[in-house]
Amino acid sequence: MFTAMAETADQTAALLVEMMEHFDRLEERASAIKGKEHLGDTQIHDLITKLNSTFITPLDREDIHQLASAIDDIIDLADAAAGKIIIFDHHEKIDGAADLARVLRRQTQEIANAVRDLQKRDGMLERCVEVHRMENEADRIFQAAIGKLFRAEKDPIRLIKIKEILESLERATDSCEDAA
């Protein structure tokens, strides 16, 4: 179940990269991401239901819940970033957004691989360290994008909208670190 959730997070991140890189067919791309978010909700619901009906679990119940929630947060925040583009009616590429989405995708790939290796417990620490390193990279990209935004954007409403989108992307990378 963890593997399926991690794969959904990775697929969501891949769709988000396409959206941020191409910045076309925004409604269609946001709808595809929303579909993954609904799938993620179903997956976490199924996992929690199974967790509540299982007497002996392979991992501590709290750890299972925390990992599932962290992976779900990744999906939710990716969806939030895509949704804000639609809600805010934003139609221009955002400096730093594609870079953040690409880092998120690399993180979700590492998490999916780590979850697949959960039973072996081999190489997981290295994957988690790499996810943390990438989160630091995302922080630098975010800070540079925000700095550029505040220097260049004169319309305060537009600035707030773009900042909100970038913050959702950055929080998604934080959730990857939480999952790791």
Side-chain angles (χ1 to χ4, degrees):
M1 294 178 103
F2 279 142
T3 301
M5 288 183 70
E7 288 171 356
T8 299
D10 187 45
Q11 293 162 2
T12 305
L15 291 170
L16 191 63
V17 168
E18 290 176 14
M19 184 178 196
M20 296 302 168
E21 284 181 345
H22 300 290
F23 235 82
D24 63 352
R25 302 181 357 246
L26 296 173
E27 294 273 346
E28 176 186 331
R29 293 181 192 278
S31 179
I33 291 169
K34 178 58 79 182
K36 293 295 180 185
E37 192 272 335
H38 288 311
L39 175 60
D41 286 347
T42 299
Q43 289 170 326
I44 193 167
H45 174 76
D46 292 347
L47 186 141
I48 298 300
T49 299
K50 185 162 183 103
L51 180 63
N52 289 336
S53 66
T54 302
F55 184 68
I56 298 174
T57 60
L59 301 170
D60 182 66
R61 288 178 187 281
E62 184 176 309
D63 292 340
I64 291 170
H65 190 271
Q66 284 181 323
L67 178 56
S69 294
I71 293 171
D72 186 56
D73 288 346
I74 297 165
I75 299 166
D76 289 345
L77 288 163
D79 175 55
K84 286 176 183 179
I85 288 170
I86 302 305
I87 291 168
F88 297 156
D89 198 29
H90 190 83
H91 297 283
E92 297 172 12
K93 285 187 177 183
I94 299 168
D95 284 333
D99 293 331
L100 284 168
R102 283 189 289 271
V103 170
L104 177 65
R105 174 72 198 285
R106 291 194 329 262
Q107 286 179 305
T108 59
Q109 289 171 323
E110 284 294 328
I111 290 168
N113 288 330
V115 167
R116 280 186 208 101
D117 294 342
L118 196 57
Q119 289 181 320
K120 292 186 274 184
R121 295 192 175 136
D122 185 39
M124 290 183 60
L125 180 60
E126 293 81 5
R127 292 188 188 284
C128 292
V129 168
E130 181 61 11
V131 170
H132 174 72
R133 186 200 63 74
M134 287 186 270
E135 196 280 325
N136 289 336
E137 179 184 344
D139 286 344
R140 287 187 295 276
I141 293 167
F142 174 73
Q143 290 167 359
I146 291 295
K148 185 175 181 180
L149 174 64
F150 274 83
R151 285 188 302 277
E153 185 56 56
K154 302 304 176 205
D155 179 357
I157 302 295
R158 184 172 154 78
L159 183 142
I160 291 168
K161 290 176 179 181
I162 294 170
K163 182 177 173 281
E164 286 273 330
I165 295 164
L166 289 169
E167 285 175 341
S168 291
L169 290 167
E170 198 279 330
R171 283 195 311 271
T173 67
D174 290 343
S175 288
C176 286
E177 186 176 37
D178 294 343

